[in-house]
């Protein structure tokens, strides 16, 4: 496949239209996207990637908006990838909170993009990771990935970040329940948003109590709990300060984290590459024949897979 | 690996302790689980698999409970797999709704199991599918898979069912937002739970309006909207009747659906099998060396994958 050098060069120069186009290309998850990542990869690894997750209704989007304002105050440029759980079925009307991001529209130091949640198993995590690389290559100082904290894809996405923020709100037992196993455990900072509510301290105490059950070794990072009110902006400066504190404290450990994530990422890419090859290598119609045999119960799925692996 | 014929035979005989053990085995996603599925697979395909999904707080669990009562009235046995989004971090206290299922404890015609959401990318969907096969082989007439409707894993799990129920509640724009792209589209029946609330008809009208935008061909199934109150039990009989109506109407089309799902399932199994083989075939430490090169940006991930594929 011919590589669009012009697109690559424009991304590396920070051209916004090229960045938008490049993210669309990696979202398609095809050969063109892989070629693009190969071209830009050596220029990545400089952005600080911040994962923000929480259940629906926790005010994550507004909080990210406030957070970007803090980043700009610190003279940093920011790329935001908002994983958008909306469906064409439900329409855009209930997604009014997405609209608020237009407040940054005139600022060339901010780039905001919604990522669709369609696609294959693991496809969203792969596409989001590649989109973050595009923003990184384009020179954004921080990349914020905002996602709903339920589902394995979301855990994978947050695991890919240098720091993970988990957003909770008062009086939402169900929201806590919605936080998937693995998400609470990877939180580097807990944010209690809508902290103007009466029972905000209940959440703070619940999280504190849970943290107290864990042992943090000497020098280990004990996740702080930051109260915010994203609507008024209260607490956004303290949240930013905690992120900066983590960044400075965790410099060396951050490398280990990137290694662990990259290992998982390579396994996922490897799986996708093998399946593409296997389907191309089988005789036409053979894969469908195996599927039909499995549906008819004359062949079990693990034997079907073994027969493909042996033949490829 | 030696196959535990005793376990296989006891599962096929419907022994509850063997079923519980077998589900634990397939949850581990190892060679023993694969061997077990190979053994029982020919005896599966008879259970009717019902996927129930909805955002947290929609009362799914209580609804499934009521639903199981209806199934038992119809002289059917029921296995329930509840995908449990709880975290050891948050503890069990907020998961009080799980406790209610003990009401069926004395009934040998009901088997309930929570599935942990831990594990690798796609691992939950694979483990849940295999657990459903265990219940199917053990002779349960219906298998209910209950899951929170956010995240690709959940879409995959619901796609694996013969009928998909999507549960909504009044006055929860955020909950609607939480329903992932792809979930609303695959609903065969919409359930508006907590229908005693004043604004229940608003949800009904919103779903109706969305459905009206779609065109259903002659003979196609137009998803009905059923109002329920899981706490009082109101509407559970109508919901059961709609499920039965779908089951009778969609007999032939159900086969196509199983074929489509099985094709996706085989691709996922194939991916997992290839990655296991590749890692075993590489020289010791080679995978980690490639990961280190990628982290150091001296190698891009797609080139790393290509080099593994070529060598294996």
């Amino acid at each position: 496949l011919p590589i669009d050098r012009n697109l690559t060069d424009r991304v590396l120069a920070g051209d916004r239209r090229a960045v938008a186009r490049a993210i669309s290309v990696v979202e398609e998850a095809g050969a063109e996207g892989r070629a693009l990542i190969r071209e830009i990869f050596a220029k990545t690894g400089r952005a600080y990637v911040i994962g923000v997750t929480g259940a629906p209704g926790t005010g994550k989007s507004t909080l990210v908006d406030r957070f970007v304002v803090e980043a700009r105050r610190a003279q940093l440029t920011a790329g935001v990838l908002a994983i958008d759980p909306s469906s064409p079925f439900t329409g855009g009307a209930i997604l009014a909170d997405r609209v608020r991001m237009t407040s940054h529209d005139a600022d060339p130091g901010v780039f905001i993009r919604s990522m669709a949640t369609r696609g294959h198993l693991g496809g969203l995590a792969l596409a989001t990771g590649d989109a973050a690389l595009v923003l990184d290559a384009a020179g954004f100082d921080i990349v914020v990935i905002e996602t709903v904290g339920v589902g394995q894809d979301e855990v994978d996405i947050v695991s890919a970040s240098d720091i993970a923020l988990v957003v909770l709100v008062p009086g939402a037992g169900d929201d806590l329940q919605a936080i998937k196993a693995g998400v609470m455990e990877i939180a580097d900072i807990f944010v209690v948003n809508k902290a103007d509510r009466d029972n905000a301290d209940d959440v703070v105490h619940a999280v504190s109590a849970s943290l107290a059950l864990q042992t943090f070794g000497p020098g280990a990072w004990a996740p702080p709990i930051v109260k915010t009110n994203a609507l008024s902006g209260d607490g956004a400066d303290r949240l930013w300060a905690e992120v900066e504190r983590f960044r400075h404290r965790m410099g060396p450990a951050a490398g280990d984290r990137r290694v662990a994530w990259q290992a998982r990422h390579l396994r996922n890419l490897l799986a996708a590459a093998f399946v593409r090859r296997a389907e191309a290598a089988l005789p036409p119609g053979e894969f469908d024949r195996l599927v039909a045999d499995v549906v008819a119960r004359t062949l079990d799925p693990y034997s079907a897979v073994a027969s493909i692996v042996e033949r490829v």
Side-chain angles (χ1 to χ4, degrees), chain A:
Chain A
L1 198 95
I3 293 160
D4 184 350
R5 298 251 173 224
N6 186 30
L7 180 61
T8 309
D9 290 344
R10 284 166 56 213
V11 166
L12 295 177
D15 176 330
R16 295 173 70 88
R17 289 181 59 190
V19 167
R21 168 78 193 127
I23 292 177
S24 298
V25 168
V26 298
E27 265 187 320
E28 284 160 23
E32 194 185 350
R34 292 193 291 276
L36 178 75
I37 295 297
R38 283 183 174 193
E39 285 293 300
I40 65 172
F41 192 74
K43 307 285 185 182
T44 63
R46 286 177 287 198
Y48 197 68
V49 182
I50 300 165
V52 180
T53 192
T58 50
K60 281 181 307 300
S61 302
T62 314
L63 189 73
V64 168
D65 222 24
R66 294 286 179 183
F67 192 79
V68 166
V69 170
E70 295 297 322
R72 298 297 292 138
R73 268 191 200 142
Q75 310 295 326
L76 299 174
T77 57
V80 177
L81 295 172
I83 313 301
D84 188 338
S86 75
S87 154
F89 187 94
T90 54
I94 55 168
L95 296 174
D97 67 341
R98 274 272 82 77
V99 175
R100 98 291 177 193
M101 283 199 162
T102 52
S103 60
H104 296 294
D105 258 5
D107 180 352
V110 179
F111 184 95
I112 293 164
R113 170 72 169 247
S114 285
M115 303 281 293
T117 58
R118 312 200 151 280
H120 303 291
L121 184 66
L124 178 64
L126 293 182
T128 304
D130 283 349
L133 289 174
V134 168
L135 292 170
D136 186 343
F140 286 99
D141 297 311
I142 67 169
V143 173
V144 182
I145 302 177
E146 173 198 330
T147 180
V148 171
V150 193
Q152 188 59 44
D153 262 9
E154 285 67 25
V155 173
D156 288 328
I157 289 165
V158 174
S159 308
S161 60
D162 293 310
I163 181 170
L165 277 51
V166 172
V167 185
L168 304 170
V169 285
D174 279 314
D175 289 337
L176 258 185
Q177 191 173 339
I179 296 290
K180 194 179 147 56
V183 170
M184 293 297 277
E185 285 76 1
I186 61 170
D188 299 305
I189 297 177
F190 287 96
V191 183
V192 175
N193 195 31
K194 306 190 182 181
D196 53 320
R197 290 188 185 171
D198 286 344
N199 48 352
D201 285 332
D202 295 350
V203 187
V204 173
H205 293 147
V207 176
S208 297
S210 300
L211 288 172
L213 296 174
Q214 301 178 35
T215 43
F216 299 100
W221 175 263
I225 306 166
V226 182
K227 290 202 279 185
T228 59
N229 179 348
L231 276 182
S232 71
D234 190 36
D237 53 344
R238 288 193 299 278
L239 179 58
W240 176 256
E242 287 293 354
V243 170
E244 286 289 276
R245 189 165 73 88
F246 180 87
R247 185 179 185 171
H248 288 114
R249 264 282 293 286
M250 300 302 284
D256 298 344
R257 192 155 157 165
R258 286 189 172 190
V259 169
W261 179 78
Q262 202 63 253
R264 282 200 306 282
H265 183 57
L266 273 192
R267 282 191 188 92
N268 292 338
L269 291 180
L270 197 55
F274 275 128
V275 172
R276 275 197 308 275
R277 287 218 161 194
E279 289 195 60
L282 284 178
E286 179 62 12
F287 186 81
D288 290 342
R289 266 192 295 277
L290 290 170
V291 170
D293 288 346
V294 171
V295 172
R297 257 64 184 175
T298 56
L299 180 70
D300 74 85
Y302 291 111
S303 299
V305 164
S307 92
I308 297 173
V309 170
E310 264 153 48
R311 278 185 285 176
V312 172

